[in-house]
Amino acid sequence: MSLHPTLQPYADAWTHSIDAISEMVQSLVEGEWNRRTPCPGWSVRDVVSHVIGMDCEMLGDPRPIHSLPRDLFHVRTEHQRYMEMQVDSRRHHTGPEMTAELEYTVIRRNRQLRNESRDPDTTVRGPLGKDITLEEAYRTRAFDVWVHEQDLRTALGRPGNLDSPGAHVARDVLLEALPKVVAKDAGAPRSSAIVFDVHGPVEFLRTIRVDIQGRGTLETAPALGPAATLTLDWETYVRLSCGRITPEAATDRVKTEGDPELTAAILRNFAVTP
């Protein structure tokens, strides 16, 4: 069986990123596994543990039975507790144990992808027991693995793949969240337009138009006389959207025009990953 055409791009993006991660961590020495990543509270080992754990859940493996320590400062929400379980249960694994489990998980997932015959609209169990479509599950995995590939690249000083298939999935996922960021979270004025001009390996110009009811919509058409314009590079856009850096840390990489209070509110609410 071949994958449904809707799922294939997400499978390809996941494969591209997981192969890059496997190659990156294959030759790490023990100390490098402990390096901090931009992902709050997580080391290189923790990020790889998370990637393994989430793909094991896609395979239907049971979740680890494990008690989390009480002193994990970065774990504040139920969603974070859920994600931390797979991570903390592997915190004492050695580098060779990590690479072996990653390799085995990738082999199993590749076999699952080759045999996948379900329709994209099939309901599957997602994180926290939430029902989602198979398409959403594939898309989320492609996005998640690419973002964590970038976390590892930053931690290990190996930049790259900012324009890979996973990057384009990430662009679409992050843009979908932008109307809520602008209209609801940042409280942009009704009947206004806010422009985002992103340059670099992935380039786009998008307008969030806020209607008279205060609802935001994403448009490709440029706006005349926008209330605000934010110009930034793709890597900074990703890091802000995924909560990897604070707006204060990105001030020299973000150019803003228009209402300063509005642009500040948008940047304050820019992070959309849980």
Side-chain angles (χ1 to χ4, degrees):
M1 289 293 295
S2 60
L3 264 179
H4 191 283
T6 307
L7 302 177
Q8 192 66 55
Y10 302 133
D12 292 344
W14 174 86
T15 300
H16 192 278
S17 290
I18 206 79
D19 286 351
I21 289 173
S22 298
E23 188 181 334
M24 252 191 294
V25 303
Q26 198 65 49
S27 58
L28 295 185
V29 298
E30 201 57 45
E32 289 176 306
W33 285 96
N34 299 321
R35 281 196 192 173
R36 288 178 62 182
T37 70
C39 199
W42 282 2
S43 65
V44 167
R45 177 185 284 99
D46 296 339
V47 168
V48 177
S49 294
H50 168 73
V51 169
I52 292 170
M54 291 298 102
D55 275 311
C56 284
E57 294 195 19
M58 288 289 284
L59 286 158
D61 293 358
R63 281 174 54 76
I65 298 168
H66 180 74
S67 296
L68 285 180
R70 295 180 181 274
D71 60 350
L72 296 173
F73 70 93
H74 59 282
V75 178
R76 299 188 186 93
T77 67
E78 196 55 39
H79 185 274
Q80 288 167 337
R81 284 184 62 79
Y82 182 96
M83 294 300 172
E84 198 71 21
M85 206 70 81
Q86 294 278 10
V87 171
D88 196 67
S89 65
R90 292 177 175 83
R91 281 220 159 95
H92 301 296
H93 289 199
T94 63
E97 287 173 326
M98 294 297 298
T99 52
E101 189 182 9
L102 177 62
E103 191 178 327
Y104 181 54
T105 305
V106 171
I107 289 168
R108 294 174 63 214
R109 280 281 281 135
N110 278 326
R111 187 185 303 133
Q112 183 188 42
L113 292 175
R114 281 197 305 272
N115 297 326
E116 182 63 84
S117 58
R118 291 174 291 178
D119 188 83
D121 293 330
T122 305
T123 300
V124 297
R125 184 59 54 93
L128 288 171
K130 181 186 170 193
D131 285 343
I132 58 175
T133 65
L134 187 64
E135 181 180 351
E136 192 179 342
Y138 270 58
R139 188 180 194 229
T140 302
R141 286 309 301 133
F143 168 69
D144 189 58
V145 173
W146 180 80
V147 170
H148 290 309
E149 178 199 339
Q150 293 304 317
D151 288 333
L152 295 172
R153 288 186 177 282
T154 302
L156 298 169
R158 300 186 197 175
N161 282 355
L162 280 165
D163 59 349
S164 67
H168 290 88
V169 173
R171 175 199 61 197
D172 295 343
V173 169
L174 295 174
L175 280 172
E176 261 186 25
L178 209 46
K180 178 180 177 291
V181 166
V182 171
K184 186 180 177 186
D185 302 337
R190 297 178 181 207
S191 303
S192 68
I194 293 83
V195 172
F196 294 83
D197 186 357
V198 176
H199 55 89
V202 174
E203 290 190 342
F204 53 88
L205 183 72
R206 294 290 186 274
T207 300
I208 302 298
R209 206 169 286 281
V210 185
D211 66 17
I212 196 70
Q213 277 83 38
R215 289 187 299 260
T217 53
L218 179 70
E219 297 182 2
T220 54
L224 296 173
T229 300
L230 290 87
T231 305
L232 64 164
D233 66 275
W234 167 236
E235 188 175 2
T236 302
Y237 185 94
V238 170
R239 289 185 175 189
L240 284 168
S241 295
C242 297
R244 290 344 190 223
I245 53 172
T246 62
E248 292 74 28
T251 46
D252 60 332
R253 301 180 72 175
V254 181
K255 181 186 171 191
T256 59
E257 296 172 50
D259 182 345
E261 286 187 17
L262 175 57
T263 55
I266 290 169
L267 288 170
R268 258 197 324 273
N269 291 281
F270 215 67
V272 294
T273 55

